[in-house]
Amino acid sequence: MRVDVNFTGQFWKGFIDKVVNYVIPYQWEAINDRIPGAEPSYSMHNFFVAAGKKEGKHGGFVYQDNDISKWIEAVAYSLSIKPDAELEALADDAIDTIVAAQEPDGYLNSYFILTGLEKRFTNLMENHELYCLGHFLEAAVAYYRTTGKKKLLNALIKYVDLVDATFGMEEGKLRGYPGHQEIEIALIKLYEVTNDEKHIKLAKYFIDERGKQPLYFKEEHEKHGNHYNWGNSSFGYGYYQAHKPVRQQEEPIGHAVRALYMYSAMADVAAKTSDSGLMDVCLRLWHIITRRQMYITGGVGTSWYGESFSLDYHLPNDTAYAETCASIALMFFAARMFKYNGYKAEYMDVLERALYNGVLSGMSVDGTSFFYVNPLEVLPEAVEKDPLKAHVKATRQKWFGCACCPPNIARVITSLDEYAYTTDGNRVYVNLFAESVVKTPKLEFNITTHYPWGNTITVDVQTAKPEAELAIRIPGWCENYTLSRTHTRVNGYVIIQDIAPGEKIVLELEMPVKIMEANPNVRVNIGKVAVCRGPLVYCLEEVDNGKNLHLVHLQNDAVFELFQDEELDMVCITTQGKRVCNISNELYMPVTDMVYEDVALTFVPYYLWANRTPGEMITWVQLSNH
Amino acid sequence: MRVDVNFTGQFWKGFIDKVVNYVIPYQWEAINDRIPGAEPSYSMHNFFVAAGKKEGKHGGFVYQDNDISKWIEAVAYSLSIKPDAELEALADDAIDTIVAAQEPDGYLNSYFILTGLEKRFTNLMENHELYCLGHFLEAAVAYYRTTGKKKLLNALIKYVDLVDATFGMEEGKLRGYPGHQEIEIALIKLYEVTNDEKHIKLAKYFIDERGKQPLYFKEEHEKHGNHYNWGNSSFGYGYYQAHKPVRQQEEPIGHAVRALYMYSAMADVAAKTSDSGLMDVCLRLWHIITRRQMYITGGVGTSWYGESFSLDYHLPNDTAYAETCASIALMFFAARMFKYNGYKAEYMDVLERALYNGVLSGMSVDGTSFFYVNPLEVLPEAVEKDPLKAHVKATRQKWFGCACCPPNIARVITSLDEYAYTTDGNRVYVNLFAESVVKTPKLEFNITTHYPWGNTITVDVQTAKPEAELAIRIPGWCENYTLSRTHTRVNGYVIIQDIAPGEKIVLELEMPVKIMEANPNVRVNIGKVAVCRGPLVYCLEEVDNGKNLHLVHLQNDAVFELFQDEELDMVCITTQGKRVCNISNELYMPVTDMVYEDVALTFVPYYLWANRTPGEMITWVQLSNH
């Protein structure tokens, strides 16, 4: 059950305000093609034309409908945080236009409405129709939950009926499934508001049918002469996770966002249909991804080619892909695994790692520029000259033609309440730490904290039913904590019972600066360490530490100091390190002892990198033996 | 002046015999499309059709003529080593067919003769016409030098006359130059047999005109509507080293083989025209390439994209390109810089490094399979699954559609005498060490050695004029040596005078196993070392050392033993190392001391890798601190 949360304090309130006040209005301009110098979205344009309100042709990619749908979803969350009649009117108008474009049989996709309906559903593998429907469904459900308005929802339920009549196991239906998974997650959300078994059944069908022989995608592209993009790749249909039935998929493969959206829906379906075999697959995939294929920032999908998973422990820092959307998708998967597998803190540890590092890094501090790719090491000259790093940018970009990441960040930040708190019976789980006012039927409380900069979490209980329980996560990074009252500890959470109204509960998390290492099988990080504090991974930037950051060495016994930086409103970490200073002119020479000089180092949170003068950045720093 | 050399001993005699007895006959089959399962060459086929001796169409790439021309060049060297009437007859027949295809005006290129002469010289940037002529010229000069036969040479001089009448500064001529440099080197070789100033003048024109504004290539592709492949790359026309005039080229850029062929010709022209400004450019480029952009194996051109140079100290081991032909081209450049810049050993040190490592690695021990790409680290699973390593192969291939490397290796090995010995006045330089019988007008001697396995070089002098001098290179890798008689030392060579006929001169080079490190600016090699002995770089292979070679650590004080391996006829190096053995299941954790187990290690020469069971290979090994 959704919890009533009002974020009040600086860190998350700041992000939410940024999204509500800047990002959502900015994105409205973007999807109406009014950002000078940015690639046009065409998203509203296409619906105006499809609805007969404007002359013109379809513009942009086949999946351009997503820009407006993700915006509506973010608006829905935004309105739940801060009512805004003007914004709601904008969204209502947009919904009117979208629904006006719907075909009589329920079909609603501006690309095929404008370019030829005879081609609809002839290239599920590449044409993103069911993906677009999925995002529209998520928007419609969110908008209905916030505003009570059903116009978009009802229009889409009609479209889902068409999809359900078209695809399925039954005689006469096509045995298809989406090329980009998303609708599966969305159908579960739809089911949660409709309670119509048809909706979960359709989600389950898409999951169960995927990858079965004869392969639908192969038959489809052969029948319609569609291009098969990945025939020469090592993953082939695995790009779409369709190389074999999902229950036989022993390892993550292919496009990371597709994969993680699907794994999330698999967990949903497994839980809601009590399918332990399917949940076992999710557990195995979770284990491999988070123990062998995840950057320390929570980035996943290491390879630019196919935006894909690659192989265990292959986590290159400088050619990383680590798409912002993939980290968001990992959060989705984590949140579901948490809910369906005993509320274990380890799932929220991964969610927190991704959120505070690989997701937040996707957006600039002013909320107007974005990273699609999140490398852990950048040498600007190499990005410019080495074609293997052509996908890496040293500075955030204004908008993308394929603008999946910016609205995805917006909707995650505006729906933070979903991740921060979970209720289960009498118990309220506090998963993330944010200043907020929380109201549940059994328990109302305020949280005060300066997390992630501060390490104290204070819970002021307002009301509490006698049976109410509070479960507060002790993060995996925290080795010692003190809690002001009696409790038990289960699955990484402290469980507090017999809560008195008016009670103040204080949790202190030991939050030292830690020098972390990677598993020795991560070849590129051998001999290197990362500096972390609390949930945050830190990095070195040229603006603070000069060029040639690869020459910097950190000592195992380094003494760290914290420093409040006003410019970026962050806590920096300073220490003394070593820098190699006897650089020979020779390229190869008999091994000698390095000569080092002392050097003052300033580490900044990874998610804040590239917000000042652009330059080099490294996350993994050489460990000195001197 | 060319020296009369007869190689007699095992190491080089073995390679030469392999090329003469297996590689050249194998390549004859290949260029006649008779190797089952290999990509066809079409090289002779095209000339048969062009000469009207066969029906058919042109097959293969626009530069397919090179397969036969490089073969003829290798045959010429082979015949100088071992006369073979049957082989010479094959070459004569091939030359008859080639010359029969020549147009009345001298033009001779099977592609345009067969596909339309109206398109000749309309796409110098991409169509390799002058490149093909260059390789034919080199073949013709070599064939004439060995056999005295002028048929091919005269035909090509006529073609050069046509080129000279077509391109140049003079009114009415096109201001073009080749897209793939090669003809510049060849024209110098032609000049050395013709003494016709026209030939060196044309080479100089091609070098001087290159990259001048307005840019010929730009005008050409705009005029003829040719595709410009590199417009979106960071190097642009720099791919062809045509982005600016060559004298302004401050750093190596673009396609490495093109670049190094050009730098070689620049050195020739600078020396032969006493152009010190041009030689300064060569010296600067030499310095950057060999001090900042060369693998320890002598591999150059690190980037798969454009087979190109990238940036200083960017020497990735696992995504290396390091084309065999680029190392051969580096040898060409080194040999010229040596001859024109005071006979300094440093040039021969680089030549030796490339030859014994990055060139020899290009061919299997049986002479029938070849590497185009020479990585310094291979994980077969990564080669298969990581698209950034799609160009890397874990095993040598039979033949390539673009077969530049196999015949290039063949011609280098059969012309080893050019590099091993140089005469200058009264002095004979011994640059490389190979068992051989050497005859010059002033000095005749035999060399006995087991180099590179053994460290003793014995010179038995047969005849010596009183003024004769012998200069023997002390390799850069050798810190101490003993020489059996008085000498002086100049530029890394010991100079021996007053040589008596019958005298035995014995040089002992200290040849310990050395642990080498890279400049700390080579990011990927920080904390790693390479094992070398004499001119050879060694590596670890899975077949000897098991999987997960990245977990192996070598100690700074390791004690090495030498071991004669009969299977590959090599000297292996064995030692005790450490292997990380406490591999956690965690991906990230607070830094701890590693736990190591002792492990026996066997290093094999890099050039011999992938001649046994395929598997992992690493050249740069972690240095242990324990």
Side-chain angles (χ1 to χ4, degrees):
Chain A
M1 210 200 66
R2 196 96 174 226
V3 176
D4 179 356
V5 182
N6 188 9
F7 292 99
T8 52
Q10 273 319 298
F11 191 88
W12 284 112
K13 179 75 161 55
F15 273 101
I16 292 164
D17 286 350
K18 199 182 302 174
V19 170
V20 169
N21 298 326
Y22 298 100
V23 179
I24 288 176
Y26 179 87
Q27 292 183 350
W28 177 247
E29 295 304 299
I31 61 186
N32 283 281
D33 312 327
R34 294 191 292 252
I35 305 288
E39 291 189 58
S41 156
Y42 300 108
S43 197
M44 277 311 298
H45 162 87
N46 291 334
F47 277 108
F48 276 112
V49 178
K53 297 182 176 183
K54 185 177 169 186
E55 290 290 308
K57 286 184 178 174
H58 184 273
F61 295 103
V62 70
Y63 44 73
Q64 225 65 32
D65 289 0
N66 288 309
D67 287 3
I68 179 63
S69 60
K70 281 189 197 160
W71 182 80
I72 293 172
E73 186 182 356
V75 167
Y77 302 141
S78 174
L79 295 176
S80 75
I81 294 164
K82 181 186 160 194
D84 179 336
E86 203 176 329
L87 181 64
E88 190 168 335
L90 276 184
D92 285 341
D93 283 352
I95 288 168
D96 287 345
T97 301
I98 292 162
V99 173
Q102 188 167 30
E103 291 293 305
D105 67 355
Y107 188 79
L108 182 50
N109 179 298
S110 80
Y111 182 84
F112 288 98
I113 290 172
L114 292 176
T115 65
L117 282 166
E118 73 284 0
K119 280 188 280 175
R120 76 185 194 182
F121 300 143
T122 60
N123 190 355
L124 291 190
M125 187 168 80
E126 283 297 340
N127 280 349
H128 290 72
E129 281 161 293
L130 299 178
Y131 173 80
C132 288
L133 171 53
H135 272 305
F136 259 132
L137 279 173
E138 289 203 75
V141 168
Y143 202 70
Y144 164 69
R145 283 188 183 276
T146 299
T147 65
K149 293 176 182 170
K150 286 190 145 184
K151 183 167 188 174
L152 186 60
L153 187 68
N154 285 338
L156 292 169
I157 287 172
K158 190 174 173 192
Y159 187 8
V160 170
D161 286 343
L162 172 67
V163 169
D164 189 48
T166 308
F167 301 102
M169 306 279 290
E170 296 82 3
E171 188 69 27
K173 292 186 181 178
L174 295 172
R175 299 283 283 263
Y177 38 84
H180 194 317
Q181 303 92 315
E182 154 62 25
I183 193 171
E184 301 88 341
I185 289 179
L187 286 167
I188 300 294
K189 289 191 175 181
L190 181 64
Y191 168 72
E192 286 169 352
V193 298
T194 63
N195 283 310
D196 185 341
E197 287 294 329
K198 185 167 63 177
H199 296 148
I200 192 169
K201 199 173 143 262
L202 186 57
K204 184 171 155 54
Y205 158 76
F206 284 139
I207 286 166
D208 286 341
E209 185 62 21
R210 194 169 200 89
K212 284 193 182 159
Q213 292 296 338
L215 197 70
Y216 184 80
F217 285 165
K218 186 163 186 287
E219 294 190 328
E220 184 190 57
H221 68 72
E222 285 173 357
K223 179 175 172 192
H224 296 289
N226 304 325
H227 186 63
Y228 171 38
N229 289 324
W230 305 100
N232 289 324
S233 70
S234 62
F235 36 67
Y237 295 105
Y239 173 80
Y240 318 89
Q241 298 77 44
H243 56 307
K244 53 173 109 164
V246 298
R247 283 155 208 272
Q248 295 168 26
Q249 296 193 16
E250 299 284 327
E251 51 185 24
I253 189 172
H255 189 264
V257 174
R258 283 173 164 81
L260 285 159
Y261 282 3
M262 180 176 83
Y263 305 157
S264 299
M266 283 160 58
D268 278 335
V269 168
K272 290 184 192 299
T273 63
S274 302
D275 184 339
S276 66
L278 188 58
M279 190 61 85
D280 285 345
V281 179
C282 294
L283 287 164
R284 186 177 61 226
L285 290 165
W286 171 265
H287 183 89
I288 295 175
I289 292 166
T290 60
R291 299 293 178 91
R292 298 186 212 155
Q293 300 204 16
M294 179 181 72
Y295 288 99
I296 194 168
T297 56
V300 286
T302 62
S303 178
W304 144 84
Y305 183 77
E307 309 181 312
S308 68
F309 288 108
S310 57
L311 57 154
D312 286 351
Y313 302 113
H314 178 60
L315 294 161
N317 295 308
D318 56 352
T319 62
Y321 200 74
E323 186 184 337
T324 306
C325 283
S327 288
I328 290 173
L330 180 63
M331 287 178 61
F332 294 167
F333 189 29
R336 284 161 177 79
M337 294 301 278
F338 171 72
K339 207 162 53 172
Y340 303 140
N341 291 284
Y343 302 96
K344 292 183 188 128
E346 63 168 285
Y347 297 108
M348 283 295 161
D349 287 343
V350 169
L351 189 150
E352 183 183 60
R353 182 190 290 280
L355 175 62
Y356 278 92
N357 301 287
V359 173
L360 288 186
S361 62
M363 188 166 71
S364 63
V365 290
D366 65 3
T368 65
S369 60
F370 303 89
F371 275 134
Y372 204 106
V373 167
N374 295 281
L376 280 80
E377 175 175 335
V378 168
L379 177 65
E381 190 193 1
V383 166
E384 185 195 322
K385 292 190 179 175
D386 178 10
L388 298 190
K389 305 187 182 87
H391 59 286
V392 176
K393 307 288 174 221
T395 53
R396 290 179 183 80
Q397 313 291 300
K398 281 290 170 198
W399 189 257
F400 312 98
C402 171
C404 51
C405 300
N408 231 352
I409 296 175
R411 69 177 183 140
V412 162
I413 288 174
T414 50
S415 60
L416 192 70
D417 56 303
E418 283 188 44
Y419 310 106
Y421 303 98
T422 312
T423 56
D424 178 43
N426 297 327
R427 192 177 287 177
V428 179
Y429 285 91
V430 178
N431 307 313
L432 303 176
F433 310 118
E435 289 213 340
S436 46
V437 178
V438 181
K439 291 179 184 168
T440 74
K442 312 243 174 196
L443 200 59
E444 298 186 356
F445 56 91
N446 299 348
I447 285 188
T448 317
T449 183
H450 291 111
Y451 195 90
W453 314 122
N455 61 326
T456 305
I457 294 106
T458 305
V459 182
D460 287 296
V461 179
Q462 308 298 317
T463 69
K465 295 271 170 73
E467 69 276 19
E469 295 181 353
L470 191 61
I472 308 179
R473 176 171 147 266
I474 306 299
W477 53 260
C478 176
E479 286 168 42
N480 298 298
Y481 64 93
T482 54
L483 184 61
S484 62
R485 55 104 81 212
T486 56
H487 63 280
T488 54
R489 190 168 174 182
V490 178
N491 286 338
Y493 278 74
V494 289
I495 312 294
I496 300 164
Q497 294 170 311
D498 304 320
I499 305 165
E503 184 177 354
K504 183 190 289 287
I505 301 165
V506 181
L507 174 65
E508 300 257 3
L509 300 169
E510 246 184 46
M511 197 191 261
V513 176
K514 282 197 184 181
I515 303 180
M516 303 293 286
E517 66 182 9
N519 186 296
N521 283 319
V522 182
R523 292 178 176 228
V524 295
N525 290 344
I526 295 174
K528 295 181 184 172
V529 291
V531 169
C532 298
R533 180 173 176 264
L536 298 175
V537 177
Y538 278 70
C539 68
L540 291 175
E541 285 197 279
E542 181 180 334
V543 65
D544 300 307
N545 303 287
K547 283 187 182 294
N548 293 317
L549 296 175
H550 61 284
L551 298 179
V552 169
H553 284 62
L554 191 65
Q555 288 156 295
N556 205 349
D557 58 356
V559 177
F560 296 99
E561 291 188 26
L562 303 182
F563 173 74
Q564 178 70 36
D565 174 87
E566 299 307 328
E567 182 185 0
L568 293 182
D569 191 20
M570 64 179 169
V571 174
C572 303
I573 299 172
T574 58
T575 189
Q576 285 288 113
K578 300 279 184 186
R579 183 185 266 273
V580 179
C581 62
N582 62 331
I583 309 285
S584 147
N585 279 325
E586 295 296 319
L587 191 48
Y588 304 106
M589 60 225 111
V591 69
T592 54
D593 281 335
M594 290 282 173
V595 179
Y596 298 91
E597 59 189 7
D598 289 335
V599 62
L601 299 177
T602 300
F603 288 85
V604 301
Y606 171 80
Y607 82 85
L608 285 167
W609 86 275
N611 271 295
R612 297 170 294 165
T613 311
E616 293 183 26
M617 182 275 287
I618 57 169
T619 310
W620 288 95
V621 183
Q622 294 296 325
L623 183 66
S624 167
N625 314 299
H626 297 268
Chain B
M1 210 200 68
R2 196 95 175 227
V3 176
D4 178 356
V5 182
N6 188 9
F7 292 99
T8 51
Q10 273 318 300
F11 191 87
W12 283 111
K13 179 74 161 52
F15 273 101
I16 292 165
D17 285 351
K18 201 183 301 175
V19 170
V20 169
N21 298 327
Y22 297 100
V23 180
I24 289 177
Y26 178 87
Q27 292 183 347
W28 177 247
E29 295 305 299
I31 59 186
N32 283 282
D33 312 326
R34 294 192 292 252
I35 305 286
E39 292 189 58
S41 155
Y42 300 109
S43 198
M44 278 311 297
H45 161 87
N46 291 334
F47 278 108
F48 274 113
V49 178
K53 296 182 177 183
K54 184 177 168 185
E55 289 291 309
K57 287 182 178 177
H58 184 274
F61 296 103
V62 69
Y63 43 72
Q64 226 64 35
D65 289 0
N66 288 309
D67 286 3
I68 179 64
S69 60
K70 281 189 195 160
W71 181 80
I72 293 171
E73 187 182 355
V75 167
Y77 301 141
S78 173
L79 294 175
S80 76
I81 294 164
K82 180 187 160 193
D84 179 337
E86 203 177 327
L87 180 64
E88 189 169 335
L90 276 184
D92 285 341
D93 282 350
I95 288 168
D96 286 344
T97 300
I98 292 162
V99 174
Q102 188 167 31
E103 291 293 305
D105 67 357
Y107 188 80
L108 182 50
N109 179 298
S110 79
Y111 181 84
F112 289 98
I113 289 172
L114 293 177
T115 65
L117 282 167
E118 72 285 358
K119 281 188 279 173
R120 76 185 196 183
F121 300 143
T122 61
N123 190 355
L124 290 190
M125 189 168 79
E126 284 297 342
N127 279 348
H128 289 73
E129 280 162 292
L130 299 178
Y131 172 81
C132 289
L133 171 53
H135 272 304
F136 259 133
L137 280 173
E138 289 203 75
V141 169
Y143 203 71
Y144 163 69
R145 282 188 184 278
T146 300
T147 65
K149 292 175 181 171
K150 285 189 147 186
K151 182 165 189 177
L152 185 60
L153 186 68
N154 285 338
L156 292 169
I157 287 173
K158 190 174 171 193
Y159 186 9
V160 170
D161 286 343
L162 172 68
V163 169
D164 189 49
T166 308
F167 301 102
M169 306 280 289
E170 297 81 2
E171 189 69 27
K173 292 186 182 179
L174 296 171
R175 298 282 283 263
Y177 38 84
H180 194 318
Q181 303 92 316
E182 154 62 27
I183 193 172
E184 300 88 340
I185 289 179
L187 285 166
I188 302 294
K189 288 191 175 180
L190 181 63
Y191 168 72
E192 286 170 350
V193 299
T194 63
N195 282 311
D196 185 340
E197 286 294 329
K198 185 168 63 177
H199 295 149
I200 192 168
K201 198 171 143 269
L202 186 58
K204 183 172 158 51
Y205 158 77
F206 283 138
I207 286 167
D208 286 342
E209 185 61 22
R210 193 169 201 91
K212 284 193 182 161
Q213 291 296 334
L215 196 69
Y216 184 80
F217 286 165
K218 186 163 185 288
E219 295 190 327
E220 184 190 58
H221 67 73
E222 286 173 358
K223 179 174 172 191
H224 296 290
N226 304 326
H227 186 63
Y228 171 36
N229 289 323
W230 304 99
N232 290 323
S233 70
S234 63
F235 36 67
Y237 295 106
Y239 173 80
Y240 319 90
Q241 297 78 43
H243 56 306
K244 52 174 112 165
V246 298
R247 283 155 208 272
Q248 294 167 27
Q249 296 194 15
E250 298 284 327
E251 50 186 24
I253 189 171
H255 189 264
V257 174
R258 282 173 165 82
L260 285 160
Y261 280 3
M262 180 175 83
Y263 305 156
S264 300
M266 282 160 59
D268 278 335
V269 168
K272 290 185 192 298
T273 65
S274 303
D275 184 340
S276 66
L278 188 60
M279 190 61 85
D280 285 345
V281 178
C282 294
L283 286 164
R284 186 177 61 230
L285 291 165
W286 171 265
H287 184 87
I288 294 176
I289 293 167
T290 60
R291 298 292 179 93
R292 299 186 211 154
Q293 299 202 17
M294 178 181 73
Y295 288 98
I296 195 168
T297 55
V300 286
T302 62
S303 177
W304 144 83
Y305 183 75
E307 309 181 312
S308 69
F309 287 107
S310 57
L311 57 155
D312 286 350
Y313 302 113
H314 177 61
L315 294 161
N317 295 309
D318 56 352
T319 61
Y321 201 73
E323 185 184 338
T324 306
C325 283
S327 289
I328 290 172
L330 180 64
M331 287 178 61
F332 294 167
F333 190 29
R336 284 160 178 81
M337 294 301 278
F338 170 74
K339 206 161 58 172
Y340 304 140
N341 290 284
Y343 303 95
K344 291 182 188 127
E346 64 169 283
Y347 298 108
M348 283 295 163
D349 287 343
V350 169
L351 188 149
E352 183 182 62
R353 181 190 291 280
L355 175 62
Y356 277 93
N357 301 288
V359 174
L360 288 187
S361 62
M363 188 166 72
S364 63
V365 290
D366 65 4
T368 65
S369 60
F370 302 90
F371 275 133
Y372 203 105
V373 167
N374 295 281
L376 279 78
E377 175 176 334
V378 169
L379 177 66
E381 190 193 359
V383 166
E384 185 196 323
K385 292 190 178 174
D386 177 10
L388 299 189
K389 305 187 182 87
H391 58 287
V392 175
K393 306 286 174 222
T395 53
R396 290 179 183 80
Q397 312 291 300
K398 280 292 170 197
W399 188 256
F400 312 98
C402 171
C404 51
C405 300
N408 232 349
I409 297 175
R411 69 179 183 139
V412 162
I413 289 175
T414 49
S415 60
L416 192 71
D417 54 306
E418 282 188 45
Y419 309 105
Y421 301 99
T422 311
T423 56
D424 177 45
N426 297 326
R427 191 177 288 177
V428 179
Y429 285 90
V430 178
N431 307 313
L432 302 177
F433 308 118
E435 289 212 341
S436 47
V437 177
V438 181
K439 290 180 183 169
T440 74
K442 311 247 174 192
L443 199 60
E444 298 186 355
F445 57 91
N446 300 347
I447 284 188
T448 316
T449 183
H450 291 112
Y451 196 88
W453 314 122
N455 62 327
T456 305
I457 293 108
T458 305
V459 182
D460 286 295
V461 178
Q462 310 297 317
T463 68
K465 296 271 169 70
E467 70 274 19
E469 294 181 355
L470 191 60
I472 308 178
R473 175 170 149 266
I474 306 299
W477 55 258
C478 176
E479 287 169 40
N480 299 297
Y481 65 92
T482 53
L483 185 61
S484 62
R485 55 103 82 211
T486 58
H487 62 280
T488 55
R489 188 167 175 183
V490 179
N491 287 335
Y493 279 74
V494 289
I495 312 293
I496 300 163
Q497 295 171 309
D498 304 320
I499 304 165
E503 184 176 354
K504 182 190 289 286
I505 300 166
V506 181
L507 173 64
E508 300 258 2
L509 300 168
E510 247 185 44
M511 195 190 262
V513 176
K514 281 196 183 181
I515 302 180
M516 303 294 287
E517 65 182 8
N519 187 294
N521 284 317
V522 182
R523 293 178 176 227
V524 295
N525 290 343
I526 295 174
K528 295 180 184 174
V529 291
V531 169
C532 299
R533 179 171 177 264
L536 297 175
V537 177
Y538 278 70
C539 68
L540 291 175
E541 286 196 279
E542 182 180 333
V543 64
D544 301 308
N545 304 286
K547 283 187 181 295
N548 294 316
L549 296 174
H550 61 284
L551 299 178
V552 169
H553 285 62
L554 191 65
Q555 288 157 291
N556 205 349
D557 58 356
V559 177
F560 297 100
E561 290 187 26
L562 304 181
F563 172 74
Q564 178 71 37
D565 173 87
E566 300 306 329
E567 182 186 359
L568 293 182
D569 191 20
M570 64 179 168
V571 173
C572 302
I573 299 172
T574 59
T575 190
Q576 283 291 111
K578 300 278 182 185
R579 180 184 269 271
V580 178
C581 62
N582 62 331
I583 309 286
S584 148
N585 278 326
E586 296 297 318
L587 190 48
Y588 304 107
M589 62 223 108
V591 68
T592 54
D593 282 334
M594 290 284 174
V595 179
Y596 299 91
E597 60 189 5
D598 290 334
V599 61
L601 299 177
T602 300
F603 288 84
V604 299
Y606 171 80
Y607 82 85
L608 284 168
W609 86 276
N611 271 294
R612 296 169 296 165
T613 311
E616 293 184 28
M617 182 275 287
I618 58 170
T619 310
W620 288 95
V621 182
Q622 295 295 325
L623 183 65
S624 167
N625 314 299
H626 296 267

